[in-house]
Amino acid sequence: MRAFAPSSYLLRNANRLFSVFVSSRSSSSGGSSSSTVVSKMVNDILKERDLDQVVKKFLTNSEMYRFRCKHRVYEVTFRRLAAAQRVSSIEQIIDAHKKYPDITSEGFAVRLIALCGKSHMFDRARKLFDELVQLNCPRTVMSLNALLSAAIDSGLHGKVPELFQQLSSELSISPDNITYNILILAYSKMGSLDEALSLLKTMEAKGVEPAVITFNTLLHGFYRADRFSDAEKLWAKMEERNISPDVVTFNEKMQALATEGKTADVLQLIDEMRSRGLKPDIFSFNSLIKAYCSDGNIEEAKRVFADLTTNECAPNWRTFETMIPYLCEEGELGLAFKLAKDSIRQRCRVNSEVLQQVVDGFMKASRREDAEKLVEVASKSKDSDKYNLKLPPEEEKCD
């Protein structure tokens, strides 16, 4: 099963300082004609299918400073090369960037370290971190945080505490709020929740104030581990510190309650959110849909789904993966078919096993033609390689 979406939200927020810092450099002087040229360069690379050409064009275009400020083309290119296991190409791009004066800016170096992490190349991220001294680039808490985040992105959660102890001591770096958020996230992903919780006291002793994301990270771990009483104590701690819960805080609790089918409690939390001036998002409504489905109230789940547009939300993969199986169980194959097609066309990348339930449901209902239509839609989609829908042989039709 996929992890709950807020987990990735927490990690993105732990890293957001890096993006904000580097983005501030993108507003340097330059005419509109220069912007047009750079936009064409970016689009050309994004549309290029030949990875050899992608690398060649990237290296050429990166000679221009304004191109080096385009974050998306870097992320997409690194991701594509990593997916194709073109590690040497990523190495080539990183090495080429050492000649630019940007590399002496910690913000630019942090960006490259973060990209290595997202490409699951932690060793390369660590190597670049170590090379910053020779490149006359400072190493402060910002680059330390980038390296710790790269370890998490690479799935090396156990390395984070070890790195923190070693580097913060060697480089005399004082951790900040983001550092502790990353440490807490690492411990949570390792299942070491008590160690994660103990960091609140460490932060207090160091004079570092926890923020709402600190508590959200802890709540995510405790709710996933069914430690509800400890999670409630965290809510109390937030109140003691005058830290206002945000949408994510409420969503963490609602997801836990929804799994147990506690619909009334989920509805109460949505009302409380609105009373605090917070706007429920798709994760909030996904929890409500899940609660109704778990409670056997498919009609109310359908109503919430139908009202998503009114609530300025769009369904995501979790919405479809929740609704479709329950619709199949209730024999509502028509709506299940529509949602399955919508999920494919909207590229939500719903688990293939979920869509197979619709195919199987049609076959059991002797509606082979409809089953064939869904298989065809999946096979012709842009994400056809993600699906593996199968039709049983003719003789396996139901009586």
Side-chain angles (χ1 to χ4, degrees):
M1 289 295 291
R2 278 182 267 192
F4 282 97
S7 180
S8 58
Y9 169 91
L10 296 171
L11 182 54
R12 288 198 304 273
N13 276 269
N15 294 334
R16 70 184 183 276
L17 178 61
F18 312 144
S19 300
V20 171
F21 181 91
V22 180
S23 294
S24 65
R25 297 185 54 107
S26 302
S27 57
S28 60
S29 59
S32 58
S33 59
S34 176
S35 296
T36 302
V37 170
V38 173
S39 294
K40 288 181 178 178
M41 289 178 173
V42 169
N43 290 332
D44 187 33
I45 290 176
L46 294 177
K47 292 177 180 178
E48 179 61 64
R49 306 322 313 162
D50 185 332
L51 290 181
D52 287 329
Q53 286 299 311
V54 167
V55 174
K56 181 179 179 181
K57 292 175 181 179
F58 199 98
L59 291 171
T60 300
N61 295 343
S62 60
E63 297 281 347
M64 183 181 291
Y65 172 73
R66 290 182 67 85
F67 177 86
R68 297 198 299 275
C69 293
K70 297 297 181 180
H71 311 298
R72 180 169 177 266
V73 71
Y74 273 74
E75 289 190 13
V76 172
T77 301
F78 271 60
R79 187 171 65 246
R80 288 179 64 190
L81 293 173
Q85 298 185 332
R86 297 278 297 259
V87 176
S88 60
S89 296
I90 294 177
E91 290 269 7
Q92 187 179 3
I93 290 173
I94 292 174
D95 288 338
H97 279 66
K98 293 178 183 177
K99 66 185 179 183
Y100 303 125
D102 314 50
I103 199 65
T104 61
S105 164
E106 191 178 15
F108 187 80
V110 156
R111 187 167 141 214
L112 293 177
I113 290 171
L115 287 170
C116 289
K118 291 176 182 178
S119 302
H120 300 278
M121 294 173 56
F122 174 76
D123 288 342
R124 191 62 186 85
R126 176 62 196 268
K127 181 181 177 184
L128 181 56
F129 179 87
D130 292 337
E131 291 171 338
L132 294 185
V133 175
Q134 288 74 39
L135 295 170
N136 295 316
C137 178
R139 292 187 297 180
T140 70
V141 69
M142 182 185 290
S143 49
L144 173 62
N145 290 344
L147 186 62
L148 297 179
S149 292
I152 288 184
D153 283 330
S154 299
L156 303 173
H157 311 132
K159 258 192 173 302
V160 175
E162 172 192 332
L163 279 171
F164 168 72
Q165 293 294 340
Q166 176 192 346
L167 295 176
S168 60
S169 175
E170 286 181 5
L171 305 177
S172 299
I173 294 176
S174 298
D176 61 10
N177 180 282
I178 293 177
T179 314
Y180 285 112
N181 290 342
I182 297 170
L183 281 167
I184 288 172
L185 181 59
Y187 277 125
S188 295
K189 285 182 173 291
M190 292 161 59
S192 304
L193 295 174
D194 292 323
E195 286 85 347
L197 185 60
S198 70
L199 287 172
L200 282 180
K201 292 183 179 179
T202 303
M203 294 175 74
E204 183 178 357
K206 298 289 186 180
V208 179
E209 286 293 324
V212 66
I213 187 175
T214 312
F215 285 95
N216 288 346
T217 308
L218 286 165
L219 286 169
H220 181 83
F222 280 108
Y223 280 129
R224 296 296 82 76
D226 292 330
R227 291 176 60 173
F228 283 76
S229 60
D230 290 310
E232 288 303 304
K233 291 176 184 177
L234 286 169
W235 279 80
K237 285 182 180 293
M238 289 180 68
E239 187 174 348
E240 291 171 7
R241 295 172 178 271
N242 293 318
I243 297 175
S244 299
D246 62 9
V247 174
V248 177
T249 319
F250 280 97
N251 283 345
E252 292 294 347
K253 188 171 185 176
M254 281 191 285
Q255 286 180 351
L257 293 170
T259 302
E260 298 189 353
K262 295 184 177 180
T263 310
D265 293 332
V266 174
L267 284 169
Q268 183 178 348
L269 284 176
I270 288 179
D271 288 339
E272 185 179 345
M273 287 175 67
R274 286 173 168 151
S275 70
R276 290 172 175 260
L278 298 173
K279 184 178 179 180
D281 61 13
I282 186 57
F283 300 109
S284 313
F285 291 114
N286 282 349
S287 293
L288 185 54
I289 289 171
K290 174 67 175 177
Y292 277 129
C293 288
S294 298
D295 207 22
N297 196 339
I298 193 67
E299 291 303 317
E300 281 300 308
K302 285 160 58 178
R303 181 189 61 77
V304 175
F305 181 85
D307 289 342
L308 286 179
T309 303
T310 304
N311 287 301
E312 299 179 353
C313 290
N316 61 13
W317 68 269
R318 173 63 68 182
T319 321
F320 291 115
E321 287 199 0
T322 300
M323 287 286 292
I324 291 173
Y326 281 102
L327 290 169
C328 290
E329 285 181 19
E330 295 295 320
E332 298 201 26
L333 296 175
L335 183 54
F337 182 40
K338 180 183 182 304
L339 266 57
K341 288 193 299 182
D342 288 346
S343 72
I344 293 170
R345 289 167 179 166
Q346 294 172 28
R347 304 194 69 184
C348 289
R349 300 190 179 185
V350 168
N351 192 305
S352 184
E353 293 178 2
V354 172
L355 301 185
Q356 185 66 45
Q357 292 182 47
V358 185
V359 174
D360 294 343
F362 278 133
M363 295 302 296
K364 289 178 182 178
S366 299
R367 295 171 59 178
R368 186 179 184 89
E369 185 177 340
D370 289 324
E372 289 174 344
K373 286 179 182 177
L374 183 55
V375 172
E376 182 181 8
V377 170
S379 65
K380 291 183 177 180
S381 73
K382 293 181 178 179
D383 298 311
S384 58
D385 59 315
K386 304 292 181 182
Y387 303 115
N388 186 30
L389 304 188
K390 296 179 180 178
L391 287 168
E394 287 285 351
E395 62 269 21
E396 291 187 18
K397 279 187 178 181
C398 295
D399 296 334

